[in-house]
Amino acid sequence: MKLTYIGHSAFMLEADGKTVLVDPFVTGNGTATVSADDLTADAILLTHAHNDHVGDTIPIAKRTGAAVIGTFELATWIGSQGVENVLPGNHGGTIAFPGGTVKFVPAWHTSSYESENGVVAPGVPAGLVVRFGGKTIYFAGDTCLFLDMQLIAEEDLDVAVLPIGDRFTMGPKDAARAAGILRAGTVIPCHYNTFPPIQQDAGAFKELVEAETASRVLPLAPGESVEL
Ligand code: NI
Ligand code: MN
């Protein structure tokens, strides 16, 4: 399975001829090295409605026919914007998509979207446990540290994708504590260095986690891919 960091919290997963996008914020993401018009997808997985996560979901889904998967109110709202293939779910539930499955788990955050017609607040945020290409990957989404990550650890994670930017999410110290709870083989940091308020040192985060846990940390540059 090939994982590509698009930048911010946007990732692309590829395996067995299928492509999955997670939180595809590309347009307006100054760190992205690709154009939204060049992205393809069989499924788009969303953690919550904030603009830096929904991103280019609607145009990509309309162009490709990708299934858009999110919590109930968010996926339903995306459907109301003219996207035909939406698969709403909710915490505890698992949804199958081409090549894999996604289970919704809790995330402590908020969820709203600023559109041309004002602000909407479709539902609540989630974390995503994705099984795809023989791997289990936890996308924490935007969240603080919370003790129920102990339950998420029982999903036997190969990879944990954790925000480290602080201010709107966990910062590096709490993300390192999360890594200790989650016990994934690999930790990939995200949601940092996109904007001035979330500047962080991924190298220092790597040192901290690798000193205190058994996980290895893989900081990826936007556009960088790794085979897992
Ligand atoms: Ni957010
Ligand atoms: Mn965010």
Side-chain angles (χ1 to χ4, degrees):
M1 196 264 291
K2 182 180 173 187
L3 177 149
T4 301
Y5 185 41
I6 295 171
H8 198 57
S9 290
F11 288 84
M12 178 166 65
L13 309 177
E14 296 167 277
D16 303 323
K18 304 294 184 197
T19 302
V20 179
L21 297 174
V22 180
D23 286 353
F25 167 53
V26 183
T27 304
N29 175 355
T31 69
T33 62
V34 293
S35 159
D37 295 337
D38 295 331
L39 292 175
T40 183
D42 295 287
I44 301 172
L45 315 182
L46 298 177
T47 60
H48 64 295
H50 283 153
N51 295 58
D52 61 320
H53 297 258
V54 168
D56 299 282
T57 293
I58 292 169
I60 295 170
K62 284 181 177 175
R63 175 169 51 79
T64 63
V68 177
I69 299 177
T71 51
F72 186 84
E73 289 78 7
L74 174 56
T76 303
W77 179 78
I78 297 275
S80 78
Q81 303 304 298
V83 173
E84 289 183 9
N85 192 4
V86 295
L87 298 174
N90 226 323
H91 302 105
T94 299
I95 294 179
F97 59 83
T101 64
V102 55
K103 180 178 181 180
F104 295 97
V105 295
W108 274 99
H109 193 61
T110 59
S111 189
S112 61
Y113 184 86
E114 292 175 47
S115 74
E116 292 166 2
N117 303 316
V119 176
V120 292
V124 296
L128 307 173
V129 176
V130 178
R131 291 187 164 86
F132 182 73
K135 300 292 179 185
T136 302
I137 307 172
Y138 167 50
F139 293 90
D142 285 0
T143 188
C144 62
L145 174 67
F146 56 95
L147 194 56
D148 282 354
M149 285 180 178
Q150 288 177 347
L151 295 173
I152 299 170
E154 293 176 11
E155 302 279 344
D156 285 329
L157 307 173
D158 295 298
V159 182
V161 177
L162 303 178
I164 68 164
D166 211 334
R167 178 136 176 186
F168 305 107
T169 68
M170 297 186 281
K173 282 185 182 170
D174 280 356
R177 294 169 70 194
I181 294 170
L182 292 163
R183 301 191 307 273
T186 300
V187 170
I188 297 176
C190 70
H191 212 274
Y192 67 102
N193 292 359
T194 321
F195 311 111
I198 56 172
Q199 289 298 123
Q200 295 296 341
D201 180 346
F205 173 69
K206 177 180 170 70
E207 281 182 24
L208 179 63
V209 171
E210 292 183 350
E212 295 187 355
T213 78
S215 300
R216 67 161 180 164
V217 178
L218 211 54
L220 298 173
E224 191 174 350
S225 298
V226 62
E227 285 288 340
L228 295 167

PDB file of all heavy atoms in Angstrom, residues 112-140:
ATOM      1  N   SER A 112     -17.613  22.652  11.440  1.00  0.00           N
ATOM      2  CA  SER A 112     -18.440  23.618  10.714  1.00  0.00           C
ATOM      3  C   SER A 112     -17.771  23.905   9.379  1.00  0.00           C
ATOM      4  O   SER A 112     -16.600  23.570   9.167  1.00  0.00           O
ATOM      5  CB  SER A 112     -18.594  24.920  11.517  1.00  0.00           C
ATOM      6  OG  SER A 112     -17.332  25.515  11.728  1.00  0.00           O
ATOM      7  N   TYR A 113     -18.537  24.510   8.469  1.00  0.00           N
ATOM      8  CA  TYR A 113     -18.024  24.777   7.124  1.00  0.00           C
ATOM      9  C   TYR A 113     -18.468  26.172   6.717  1.00  0.00           C
ATOM     10  O   TYR A 113     -19.643  26.521   6.836  1.00  0.00           O
ATOM     11  CB  TYR A 113     -18.576  23.738   6.136  1.00  0.00           C
ATOM     12  CG  TYR A 113     -18.028  23.868   4.729  1.00  0.00           C
ATOM     13  CD1 TYR A 113     -16.831  23.261   4.376  1.00  0.00           C
ATOM     14  CD2 TYR A 113     -18.707  24.608   3.767  1.00  0.00           C
ATOM     15  CE1 TYR A 113     -16.319  23.378   3.089  1.00  0.00           C
ATOM     16  CE2 TYR A 113     -18.209  24.733   2.474  1.00  0.00           C
ATOM     17  CZ  TYR A 113     -17.005  24.112   2.145  1.00  0.00           C
ATOM     18  OH  TYR A 113     -16.504  24.225   0.875  1.00  0.00           O
ATOM     19  N   GLU A 114     -17.509  26.963   6.261  1.00  0.00           N
ATOM     20  CA  GLU A 114     -17.816  28.309   5.779  1.00  0.00           C
ATOM     21  C   GLU A 114     -18.001  28.249   4.274  1.00  0.00           C
ATOM     22  O   GLU A 114     -17.039  28.038   3.540  1.00  0.00           O
ATOM     23  CB  GLU A 114     -16.671  29.264   6.126  1.00  0.00           C
ATOM     24  CG  GLU A 114     -16.509  29.529   7.611  1.00  0.00           C
ATOM     25  CD  GLU A 114     -15.292  30.391   7.904  1.00  0.00           C
ATOM     26  OE1 GLU A 114     -15.112  31.415   7.218  1.00  0.00           O
ATOM     27  OE2 GLU A 114     -14.516  30.008   8.796  1.00  0.00           O
ATOM     28  N   SER A 115     -19.239  28.435   3.838  1.00  0.00           N
ATOM     29  CA  SER A 115     -19.515  28.425   2.402  1.00  0.00           C
ATOM     30  C   SER A 115     -19.823  29.844   1.943  1.00  0.00           C
ATOM     31  O   SER A 115     -19.904  30.766   2.758  1.00  0.00           O
ATOM     32  CB  SER A 115     -20.704  27.518   2.096  1.00  0.00           C
ATOM     33  OG  SER A 115     -21.912  28.135   2.511  1.00  0.00           O
ATOM     34  N   GLU A 116     -20.018  30.002   0.645  1.00  0.00           N
ATOM     35  CA  GLU A 116     -20.367  31.317   0.102  1.00  0.00           C
ATOM     36  C   GLU A 116     -21.691  31.806   0.688  1.00  0.00           C
ATOM     37  O   GLU A 116     -21.959  33.004   0.738  1.00  0.00           O
ATOM     38  CB  GLU A 116     -20.483  31.231  -1.427  1.00  0.00           C
ATOM     39  CG  GLU A 116     -19.148  30.987  -2.111  1.00  0.00           C
ATOM     40  CD  GLU A 116     -19.314  30.557  -3.563  1.00  0.00           C
ATOM     41  OE1 GLU A 116     -20.454  30.479  -4.040  1.00  0.00           O
ATOM     42  OE2 GLU A 116     -18.269  30.290  -4.205  1.00  0.00           O
ATOM     43  N   ASN A 117     -22.523  30.864   1.129  1.00  0.00           N
ATOM     44  CA  ASN A 117     -23.846  31.218   1.638  1.00  0.00           C
ATOM     45  C   ASN A 117     -23.893  31.296   3.160  1.00  0.00           C
ATOM     46  O   ASN A 117     -24.975  31.311   3.745  1.00  0.00           O
ATOM     47  CB  ASN A 117     -24.879  30.198   1.138  1.00  0.00           C
ATOM     48  CG  ASN A 117     -24.891  30.099  -0.376  1.00  0.00           C
ATOM     49  OD1 ASN A 117     -24.846  31.117  -1.055  1.00  0.00           O
ATOM     50  ND2 ASN A 117     -24.918  28.894  -0.912  1.00  0.00           N
ATOM     51  N   GLY A 118     -22.706  31.312   3.814  1.00  0.00           N
ATOM     52  CA  GLY A 118     -22.672  31.394   5.265  1.00  0.00           C
ATOM     53  C   GLY A 118     -22.094  30.131   5.874  1.00  0.00           C
ATOM     54  O   GLY A 118     -21.563  29.277   5.173  1.00  0.00           O
ATOM     55  N   VAL A 119     -22.210  30.058   7.201  1.00  0.00           N
ATOM     56  CA  VAL A 119     -21.607  28.939   7.922  1.00  0.00           C
ATOM     57  C   VAL A 119     -22.659  27.863   8.173  1.00  0.00           C
ATOM     58  O   VAL A 119     -23.765  28.160   8.614  1.00  0.00           O
ATOM     59  CB  VAL A 119     -21.011  29.426   9.257  1.00  0.00           C
ATOM     60  CG1 VAL A 119     -20.456  28.255  10.062  1.00  0.00           C
ATOM     61  CG2 VAL A 119     -19.921  30.453   9.006  1.00  0.00           C
ATOM     62  N   VAL A 120     -22.318  26.629   7.877  1.00  0.00           N
ATOM     63  CA  VAL A 120     -23.150  25.493   8.253  1.00  0.00           C
ATOM     64  C   VAL A 120     -22.335  24.643   9.231  1.00  0.00           C
ATOM     65  O   VAL A 120     -21.103  24.696   9.236  1.00  0.00           O
ATOM     66  CB  VAL A 120     -23.579  24.644   7.036  1.00  0.00           C
ATOM     67  CG1 VAL A 120     -24.528  25.422   6.145  1.00  0.00           C
ATOM     68  CG2 VAL A 120     -22.370  24.165   6.236  1.00  0.00           C
ATOM     69  N   ALA A 121     -23.021  23.888  10.067  1.00  0.00           N
ATOM     70  CA  ALA A 121     -22.327  23.046  11.049  1.00  0.00           C
ATOM     71  C   ALA A 121     -22.899  21.644  10.993  1.00  0.00           C
ATOM     72  O   ALA A 121     -23.704  21.244  11.834  1.00  0.00           O
ATOM     73  CB  ALA A 121     -22.468  23.641  12.445  1.00  0.00           C
ATOM     74  N   PRO A 122     -22.494  20.897   9.953  1.00  0.00           N
ATOM     75  CA  PRO A 122     -23.084  19.574   9.755  1.00  0.00           C
ATOM     76  C   PRO A 122     -22.442  18.499  10.629  1.00  0.00           C
ATOM     77  O   PRO A 122     -21.465  17.868  10.261  1.00  0.00           O
ATOM     78  CB  PRO A 122     -22.851  19.304   8.266  1.00  0.00           C
ATOM     79  CG  PRO A 122     -21.651  20.124   7.908  1.00  0.00           C
ATOM     80  CD  PRO A 122     -21.560  21.259   8.893  1.00  0.00           C
ATOM     81  N   GLY A 123     -23.045  18.280  11.793  1.00  0.00           N
ATOM     82  CA  GLY A 123     -22.674  17.135  12.622  1.00  0.00           C
ATOM     83  C   GLY A 123     -21.406  17.316  13.423  1.00  0.00           C
ATOM     84  O   GLY A 123     -20.942  18.428  13.656  1.00  0.00           O
ATOM     85  N   VAL A 124     -20.875  16.206  13.860  1.00  0.00           N
ATOM     86  CA  VAL A 124     -19.730  16.187  14.767  1.00  0.00           C
ATOM     87  C   VAL A 124     -18.540  15.479  14.107  1.00  0.00           C
ATOM     88  O   VAL A 124     -18.709  14.729  13.155  1.00  0.00           O
ATOM     89  CB  VAL A 124     -20.086  15.492  16.091  1.00  0.00           C
ATOM     90  CG1 VAL A 124     -21.153  16.286  16.834  1.00  0.00           C
ATOM     91  CG2 VAL A 124     -20.551  14.064  15.861  1.00  0.00           C
ATOM     92  N   PRO A 125     -17.328  15.720  14.628  1.00  0.00           N
ATOM     93  CA  PRO A 125     -16.133  15.130  14.006  1.00  0.00           C
ATOM     94  C   PRO A 125     -15.952  13.661  14.368  1.00  0.00           C
ATOM     95  O   PRO A 125     -16.546  13.167  15.315  1.00  0.00           O
ATOM     96  CB  PRO A 125     -14.979  15.947  14.603  1.00  0.00           C
ATOM     97  CG  PRO A 125     -15.570  16.880  15.569  1.00  0.00           C
ATOM     98  CD  PRO A 125     -17.004  16.570  15.754  1.00  0.00           C
ATOM     99  N   ALA A 126     -15.067  13.029  13.608  1.00  0.00           N
ATOM    100  CA  ALA A 126     -14.725  11.634  13.864  1.00  0.00           C
ATOM    101  C   ALA A 126     -13.241  11.414  13.597  1.00  0.00           C
ATOM    102  O   ALA A 126     -12.603  12.191  12.889  1.00  0.00           O
ATOM    103  CB  ALA A 126     -15.542  10.706  12.969  1.00  0.00           C
ATOM    104  N   GLY A 127     -12.718  10.338  14.178  1.00  0.00           N
ATOM    105  CA  GLY A 127     -11.476   9.746  13.712  1.00  0.00           C
ATOM    106  C   GLY A 127     -11.852   8.577  12.816  1.00  0.00           C
ATOM    107  O   GLY A 127     -12.992   8.103  12.834  1.00  0.00           O
ATOM    108  N   LEU A 128     -10.896   8.120  12.019  1.00  0.00           N
ATOM    109  CA  LEU A 128     -11.180   7.061  11.049  1.00  0.00           C
ATOM    110  C   LEU A 128     -10.175   5.925  11.208  1.00  0.00           C
ATOM    111  O   LEU A 128      -8.959   6.164  11.183  1.00  0.00           O
ATOM    112  CB  LEU A 128     -11.074   7.620   9.622  1.00  0.00           C
ATOM    113  CG  LEU A 128     -11.894   8.885   9.312  1.00  0.00           C
ATOM    114  CD1 LEU A 128     -11.548   9.393   7.910  1.00  0.00           C
ATOM    115  CD2 LEU A 128     -13.378   8.619   9.439  1.00  0.00           C
ATOM    116  N   VAL A 129     -10.672   4.713  11.374  1.00  0.00           N
ATOM    117  CA  VAL A 129      -9.809   3.530  11.346  1.00  0.00           C
ATOM    118  C   VAL A 129     -10.028   2.874   9.976  1.00  0.00           C
ATOM    119  O   VAL A 129     -11.091   2.325   9.713  1.00  0.00           O
ATOM    120  CB  VAL A 129     -10.121   2.547  12.492  1.00  0.00           C
ATOM    121  CG1 VAL A 129      -9.265   1.286  12.355  1.00  0.00           C
ATOM    122  CG2 VAL A 129      -9.876   3.218  13.845  1.00  0.00           C
ATOM    123  N   VAL A 130      -9.016   2.979   9.135  1.00  0.00           N
ATOM    124  CA  VAL A 130      -9.127   2.560   7.739  1.00  0.00           C
ATOM    125  C   VAL A 130      -8.378   1.244   7.546  1.00  0.00           C
ATOM    126  O   VAL A 130      -7.204   1.131   7.930  1.00  0.00           O
ATOM    127  CB  VAL A 130      -8.540   3.636   6.801  1.00  0.00           C
ATOM    128  CG1 VAL A 130      -8.599   3.187   5.345  1.00  0.00           C
ATOM    129  CG2 VAL A 130      -9.289   4.960   6.977  1.00  0.00           C
ATOM    130  N   ARG A 131      -9.053   0.282   6.965  1.00  0.00           N
ATOM    131  CA  ARG A 131      -8.394  -0.976   6.584  1.00  0.00           C
ATOM    132  C   ARG A 131      -8.349  -1.028   5.064  1.00  0.00           C
ATOM    133  O   ARG A 131      -9.384  -1.041   4.401  1.00  0.00           O
ATOM    134  CB  ARG A 131      -9.135  -2.173   7.191  1.00  0.00           C
ATOM    135  CG  ARG A 131      -8.979  -2.214   8.703  1.00  0.00           C
ATOM    136  CD  ARG A 131      -9.546  -3.460   9.363  1.00  0.00           C
ATOM    137  NE  ARG A 131      -9.021  -3.568  10.729  1.00  0.00           N
ATOM    138  CZ  ARG A 131      -9.560  -2.969  11.800  1.00  0.00           C
ATOM    139  NH1 ARG A 131     -10.647  -2.239  11.671  1.00  0.00           N
ATOM    140  NH2 ARG A 131      -8.992  -3.082  12.995  1.00  0.00           N
ATOM    141  N   PHE A 132      -7.125  -1.041   4.532  1.00  0.00           N
ATOM    142  CA  PHE A 132      -6.954  -0.882   3.080  1.00  0.00           C
ATOM    143  C   PHE A 132      -5.572  -1.400   2.717  1.00  0.00           C
ATOM    144  O   PHE A 132      -4.592  -1.133   3.430  1.00  0.00           O
ATOM    145  CB  PHE A 132      -7.073   0.619   2.734  1.00  0.00           C
ATOM    146  CG  PHE A 132      -6.965   0.942   1.266  1.00  0.00           C
ATOM    147  CD1 PHE A 132      -7.996   0.636   0.381  1.00  0.00           C
ATOM    148  CD2 PHE A 132      -5.833   1.578   0.770  1.00  0.00           C
ATOM    149  CE1 PHE A 132      -7.897   0.945  -0.965  1.00  0.00           C
ATOM    150  CE2 PHE A 132      -5.721   1.885  -0.579  1.00  0.00           C
ATOM    151  CZ  PHE A 132      -6.759   1.572  -1.450  1.00  0.00           C
ATOM    152  N   GLY A 133      -5.482  -2.149   1.644  1.00  0.00           N
ATOM    153  CA  GLY A 133      -4.186  -2.630   1.175  1.00  0.00           C
ATOM    154  C   GLY A 133      -3.452  -3.468   2.208  1.00  0.00           C
ATOM    155  O   GLY A 133      -2.219  -3.469   2.241  1.00  0.00           O
ATOM    156  N   GLY A 134      -4.193  -4.181   3.049  1.00  0.00           N
ATOM    157  CA  GLY A 134      -3.573  -5.054   4.041  1.00  0.00           C
ATOM    158  C   GLY A 134      -3.077  -4.340   5.294  1.00  0.00           C
ATOM    159  O   GLY A 134      -2.457  -4.962   6.154  1.00  0.00           O
ATOM    160  N   LYS A 135      -3.335  -3.040   5.406  1.00  0.00           N
ATOM    161  CA  LYS A 135      -2.875  -2.266   6.564  1.00  0.00           C
ATOM    162  C   LYS A 135      -4.060  -1.647   7.302  1.00  0.00           C
ATOM    163  O   LYS A 135      -5.128  -1.412   6.704  1.00  0.00           O
ATOM    164  CB  LYS A 135      -1.932  -1.140   6.112  1.00  0.00           C
ATOM    165  CG  LYS A 135      -0.675  -1.625   5.396  1.00  0.00           C
ATOM    166  CD  LYS A 135       0.257  -2.369   6.321  1.00  0.00           C
ATOM    167  CE  LYS A 135       1.494  -2.852   5.572  1.00  0.00           C
ATOM    168  NZ  LYS A 135       2.357  -3.682   6.431  1.00  0.00           N
ATOM    169  N   THR A 136      -3.834  -1.364   8.581  1.00  0.00           N
ATOM    170  CA  THR A 136      -4.818  -0.654   9.390  1.00  0.00           C
ATOM    171  C   THR A 136      -4.223   0.683   9.802  1.00  0.00           C
ATOM    172  O   THR A 136      -3.174   0.729  10.456  1.00  0.00           O
ATOM    173  CB  THR A 136      -5.203  -1.475  10.629  1.00  0.00           C
ATOM    174  OG1 THR A 136      -5.716  -2.738  10.202  1.00  0.00           O
ATOM    175  CG2 THR A 136      -6.263  -0.752  11.452  1.00  0.00           C
ATOM    176  N   ILE A 137      -4.886   1.736   9.372  1.00  0.00           N
ATOM    177  CA  ILE A 137      -4.375   3.090   9.579  1.00  0.00           C
ATOM    178  C   ILE A 137      -5.411   3.906  10.336  1.00  0.00           C
ATOM    179  O   ILE A 137      -6.568   3.981   9.917  1.00  0.00           O
ATOM    180  CB  ILE A 137      -4.086   3.792   8.234  1.00  0.00           C
ATOM    181  CG1 ILE A 137      -3.189   2.917   7.368  1.00  0.00           C
ATOM    182  CG2 ILE A 137      -3.451   5.143   8.453  1.00  0.00           C
ATOM    183  CD1 ILE A 137      -3.046   3.461   5.974  1.00  0.00           C
ATOM    184  N   TYR A 138      -4.983   4.523  11.420  1.00  0.00           N
ATOM    185  CA  TYR A 138      -5.858   5.405  12.194  1.00  0.00           C
ATOM    186  C   TYR A 138      -5.560   6.854  11.831  1.00  0.00           C
ATOM    187  O   TYR A 138      -4.440   7.324  12.039  1.00  0.00           O
ATOM    188  CB  TYR A 138      -5.618   5.164  13.687  1.00  0.00           C
ATOM    189  CG  TYR A 138      -6.205   6.179  14.637  1.00  0.00           C
ATOM    190  CD1 TYR A 138      -7.546   6.578  14.555  1.00  0.00           C
ATOM    191  CD2 TYR A 138      -5.435   6.724  15.654  1.00  0.00           C
ATOM    192  CE1 TYR A 138      -8.076   7.502  15.450  1.00  0.00           C
ATOM    193  CE2 TYR A 138      -5.952   7.636  16.563  1.00  0.00           C
ATOM    194  CZ  TYR A 138      -7.282   8.022  16.455  1.00  0.00           C
ATOM    195  OH  TYR A 138      -7.802   8.932  17.345  1.00  0.00           O
ATOM    196  N   PHE A 139      -6.554   7.522  11.257  1.00  0.00           N
ATOM    197  CA  PHE A 139      -6.477   8.959  11.036  1.00  0.00           C
ATOM    198  C   PHE A 139      -7.221   9.623  12.197  1.00  0.00           C
ATOM    199  O   PHE A 139      -8.456   9.537  12.279  1.00  0.00           O
ATOM    200  CB  PHE A 139      -7.118   9.347   9.695  1.00  0.00           C
ATOM    201  CG  PHE A 139      -6.368   8.832   8.498  1.00  0.00           C
ATOM    202  CD1 PHE A 139      -6.669   7.592   7.945  1.00  0.00           C
ATOM    203  CD2 PHE A 139      -5.354   9.577   7.922  1.00  0.00           C
ATOM    204  CE1 PHE A 139      -5.968   7.108   6.843  1.00  0.00           C
ATOM    205  CE2 PHE A 139      -4.642   9.103   6.824  1.00  0.00           C
ATOM    206  CZ  PHE A 139      -4.959   7.865   6.288  1.00  0.00           C
ATOM    207  N   ALA A 140      -6.474  10.263  13.075  1.00  0.00           N
ATOM    208  CA  ALA A 140      -7.101  10.842  14.270  1.00  0.00           C
ATOM    209  C   ALA A 140      -7.985  12.028  13.923  1.00  0.00           C
ATOM    210  O   ALA A 140      -8.856  12.407  14.706  1.00  0.00           O
ATOM    211  CB  ALA A 140      -6.019  11.266  15.266  1.00  0.00           C
TER     212      ALA A 140
END
